Amino acid sequence: MEGRNLKHLNTCNRLSNYSAKETPCCSCIELKEMMAGMMTEQKKLQEQLSKLQTTTEQQNKIIVEMLAEHKLQLQTLNKSQKNVTSLSSKFPLKSEEDLQKVESEICDSNEEKYISAVKYLIDGSAIKNLERIFSREICVMYNTDGICGKKCLKNFKRIYKIVIAAISDYSPNSEKEFRAALQVVKKRHFRVVCSQNKNKN
């Protein structure tokens, strides 16, 4: 009888050990679930970091391209400003020789540069700043059509063209503006002459 009970006890112990090995406890289950959750979060974090890295690389590429384009624009602008400054130094035209010289220098390849230079000098108002292009003496000696005993500026076709083009940048009627500007310069001249004559008297 005693031997039978011992055998049953051993059998129960073996079953107990088997159950302990095959069936995890609640803490183990919770730990396993927690680790699985951490692994999932880690995977998500890695994916987010990967996306962020890709986005950063793309943004850096865009920034580099923008900087390169900006640098090119600055170089072009600097070159353009140098051209304008260089051509601006040819003005104002003070004599018929100056008119003839610049007329011969203007061509299809540099016409736009001359227009830019004249725009820069006129600065949005031929009436105020025409004497930056033509000296007062030239403005008195010439008019657009060569009437009333004056010489004709239209004979200098390329000069006339670039001046009209520059004025048309801001004025809807560039020829009218040019004529008005010439008249203003003439009036300035005659006011000075009258003032000088009064002082002599």
Side-chain angles (χ1 to χ4, degrees), residues 37-200:
M38 290 174 65
M39 292 292 290
T40 302
E41 289 298 322
Q42 184 178 8
K43 185 177 180 181
K44 288 181 181 179
L45 182 60
Q46 287 175 340
E47 289 175 354
Q48 290 174 351
L49 287 173
S50 178
K51 289 180 181 178
L52 180 61
Q53 183 178 3
T54 302
T55 302
T56 303
E57 289 174 354
Q58 291 173 344
Q59 289 176 341
N60 288 341
K61 184 179 179 181
I62 292 171
I63 290 170
V64 169
E65 290 174 353
M66 289 175 65
L67 288 173
E69 184 178 354
H70 184 60
K71 182 180 179 181
L72 181 61
Q73 289 175 345
L74 284 175
Q75 289 174 342
T76 303
L77 180 61
N78 288 335
K79 185 177 180 181
S80 176
Q81 287 176 336
K82 287 179 181 178
N83 289 333
V84 167
T85 303
S86 175
L87 293 177
S88 297
S89 65
K90 296 179 180 292
F91 298 93
L93 305 178
K94 299 178 181 179
S95 65
E96 191 163 343
E97 288 74 20
D98 287 347
L99 289 168
Q100 291 170 348
K101 182 180 178 182
V102 172
E103 177 73 13
S104 66
E105 290 175 352
I106 301 171
C107 59
D108 292 341
S109 62
N110 64 18
E111 187 177 272
E112 286 298 323
K113 294 176 183 178
Y114 270 95
I115 292 172
S116 296
V118 174
K119 282 182 188 177
Y120 170 75
L121 292 169
I122 287 177
D123 193 24
S125 178
I127 289 175
K128 289 182 179 179
N129 301 315
L130 188 63
E131 288 184 76
R132 295 179 181 179
I133 309 302
F134 302 107
S135 69
R136 188 167 296 186
E137 183 181 358
I138 291 293
C139 291
V140 171
M141 290 172 57
Y142 286 81
N143 59 33
T144 55
D145 299 307
I147 59 175
C148 301
K150 302 295 182 180
K151 295 183 178 181
C152 181
L153 274 173
K154 284 185 177 179
N155 288 339
F156 301 95
K157 294 180 181 179
R158 290 190 178 275
I159 292 176
Y160 188 80
K161 182 180 179 182
I162 64 168
V163 172
I164 293 300
I167 296 173
S168 66
D169 187 59
Y170 68 89
S171 173
N173 194 334
S174 52
E175 291 202 25
K176 183 179 179 181
E177 175 96 1
F178 185 36
R179 289 190 180 94
L182 282 170
Q183 289 300 318
V184 168
V185 176
K186 286 179 171 68
K187 288 177 181 178
R188 288 178 195 152
H189 169 72
F190 291 123
R191 279 199 298 268
V192 171
V193 171
C194 289
S195 177
Q196 289 174 346
N197 289 336
K198 286 180 180 179
N199 291 334
K200 287 179 182 179

